[in-house]
Amino acid sequence: MSVCKSRITKMGAYSPPLEGRNADRHLLLDFNERTIPVSPKVRQALIDYIQTDHLQTYPAYGDLSQRIAEYAGVPSEQLMITNGSDQGIDLIIRATCNVGDEVIIPSPSFAMYNQIAQVEGAKIIEPEFTETGGFPVEGVLAAVTPATRLIVISNPNNPTGTLVSEADIVRIAQAAPDCAILVDECYFEYTRVTVKDHLTALPNLFITRTFSKTWGLPSIRLGYVMSATENINALLNIRGPYDVNQFAEVAVRAALDEPEYMQSFVSEVLEQSKPLLESFLHQHGIPFWPASANFIFAFPEQAEALNQQLQASGVLVRPKKNQQGKVGLRITLGTLEQTQRLVNELEKAISQQ
Ligand SMILES: Cc1ncc(COP(=O)(O)O)c(C=O)c1O
């Protein structure tokens, strides 16, 4: 018998399939990560920091929030840094939901929203994304009741890659002014679609972003939340003073000094790798969801067998179920060369089926 809350002991952990994953042996196309390492300048900044011999002191962030706010184009009082965007999601749900409140999380989507809503004891309502209709705008609006406290809009959505327009998000935020609207812009640099210009007019909007994806720094854990100043102040009452570590501060400062390094990878993915994989899928009649970030959710015949074959050839992709329980493969896009390798391995595996 655990002394922990019963709703927590009854839950399952969010445990992504990390076992056996090895960056030296595999082409990692399974976690939507950037597939090229950090730039030499970022690496050097981390080495230099270690050599200052200051690991024994607590982290100090200086004007890091201000620098990120400049990059994001919002006033610095509308932004706070977090330990990855996972922590931003956690803070927003903890700050807004009580036991029994309703939370709308269109599905399928990123697991953390559900995980944290369950921790808070919220009731989860899940309108469905569809391959043709995309984000269920009407389904979300119809699901709002006086008990709704939070609506999650993953933009673009993981795993489907679906983009939600700025106009649709504003419409939802205006229709449900008493609900927090969590807009997860984790993949922002791939889409450039954002609602950050509405933070003052719509004080129920919360945006989460991260340095884990396009910036290639998931290991150092830095995200940020943007919202109206009073919301940021409330979230700061929950976040610990040292939740972000010093390596994150050092690496992100260096990365922000050369945004062109990140941007050139984003351009390669969108302009070269994505068309290559999409044309392969079209040629083979493999259905896939229209996608706007660095991953494509595709439904080949015998997806699980194909996944095993790819794994045997050293290429990792991520099997995921759609709402009907059908298994698809969520495939991360890397450089053109990596995508060419993926396509070659897919070709081989399909011809052997
Ligand atoms: C939609 C979405 N939000 C948030 C995250 C978590 O990102 P972070 O590493 O910043 O916690 C992910 C990671 O896969 C994601 O896909």
Side-chain angles (χ1 to χ4, degrees):
M1 248 295 266
S2 167
V3 292
C4 295
K5 293 174 191 163
S6 66
R7 68 168 183 275
I8 309 273
T9 57
K10 281 187 205 138
M11 287 173 54
Y14 171 42
S15 31
L18 287 162
E19 208 183 313
R21 199 173 184 259
N22 184 327
D24 295 324
R25 279 195 288 116
H26 298 125
L27 173 56
L28 300 177
L29 305 180
D30 51 348
F31 277 62
N32 299 345
E33 293 157 330
R34 190 174 82 183
T35 57
I36 59 164
V38 294
S39 73
K41 281 188 187 155
V42 172
R43 190 184 330 117
Q44 193 56 49
L46 287 165
I47 293 168
D48 291 348
Y49 169 68
I50 290 174
Q51 284 173 347
T52 61
D53 246 350
H54 286 154
L55 287 170
Q56 74 282 18
T57 64
Y58 280 101
Y61 310 120
D63 67 350
L64 182 65
S65 291
Q66 172 74 42
R67 284 216 50 200
I68 297 173
E70 275 162 27
Y71 162 72
V74 297
S76 60
E77 1 18 295
Q78 292 188 347
L79 185 143
M80 67 187 280
I81 55 172
T82 55
N83 189 294
S85 51
D86 278 352
Q87 190 189 26
I89 295 165
D90 181 48
L91 296 177
I92 294 163
I93 299 181
R94 281 164 67 197
T96 56
C97 295
N98 285 310
V99 174
D101 285 345
E102 290 178 9
V103 170
I104 301 175
I105 308 176
S107 174
S109 199
F110 179 53
M112 281 308 282
Y113 315 128
N114 251 275
Q115 191 76 14
I116 299 162
Q118 281 182 57
V119 170
E120 295 309 304
K123 181 176 169 213
I124 299 165
I125 321 287
E126 300 181 287
E128 289 180 12
F129 281 87
T130 54
E131 208 174 317
T132 45
F135 178 81
V137 184
E138 302 308 327
V140 166
L141 290 171
V144 176
T145 75
T148 312
R149 286 274 64 77
L150 175 80
I151 300 172
V152 176
I153 304 178
S154 179
N155 199 29
N157 183 49
N158 171 9
T160 61
T162 312
L163 191 65
V164 192
S165 71
E166 189 181 335
D168 280 338
I169 300 173
V170 169
R171 189 176 154 215
I172 292 169
Q174 284 172 338
D178 298 329
C179 298
I181 313 292
L182 192 177
V183 185
D184 183 342
E185 295 183 357
C186 178
Y187 300 93
F188 163 71
E189 286 82 4
Y190 288 113
T191 69
R192 298 271 151 201
V193 172
T194 178
V195 285
K196 60 108 181 152
D197 290 331
H198 302 278
L199 294 177
T200 306
L202 294 170
N204 55 337
L205 274 185
F206 293 78
I207 301 171
T208 52
R209 289 211 197 145
T210 188
F211 284 87
S212 292
K213 303 294 183 183
T214 47
W215 294 92
L217 288 163
S219 54
I220 53 92
R221 314 300 304 135
L222 193 88
Y224 53 104
V225 177
M226 296 181 284
S227 190
T229 311
E230 55 274 30
N231 296 330
I232 293 295
N233 290 340
L235 299 186
L236 284 169
N237 293 342
I238 317 179
R239 196 203 63 190
Y242 311 120
D243 285 355
V244 171
N245 72 73
Q246 193 76 70
F247 294 107
E249 187 269 345
V250 169
V252 164
R253 264 181 207 282
L256 284 170
D257 280 342
E258 43 172 0
E260 60 285 354
Y261 185 86
M262 172 276 287
Q263 197 51 57
S264 116
F265 177 78
V266 167
S267 302
E268 183 169 347
V269 164
L270 295 178
E271 291 159 24
Q272 302 186 59
S273 305
K274 189 163 176 270
L276 176 64
L277 181 57
E278 285 174 342
S279 90
F280 172 87
L281 295 170
H282 277 306
Q283 270 167 27
H284 288 76
I286 299 173
F288 61 95
W289 289 59
S292 52
N294 64 327
F295 52 92
I296 293 185
F297 197 25
F299 288 84
E301 301 281 322
Q302 302 176 330
E304 275 158 308
L306 196 58
N307 178 47
Q308 300 287 326
Q309 287 166 285
L310 285 176
Q311 225 168 16
S313 69
V315 178
L316 302 190
V317 299
R318 187 82 170 267
K320 289 239 162 215
K321 286 186 183 156
N322 71 5
Q323 279 314 90
Q324 286 67 47
K326 187 168 158 80
V327 177
L329 300 178
R330 192 195 63 194
I331 305 171
T332 304
L333 295 156
T335 61
L336 180 60
E337 195 186 331
Q338 291 164 335
T339 311
Q340 190 62 61
R341 178 175 163 201
L342 162 79
V343 161
N344 294 345
E345 296 299 349
L346 275 171
E347 185 83 66
K348 254 193 266 168
I350 288 170
S351 68
Q352 285 162 11
Q353 278 191 340

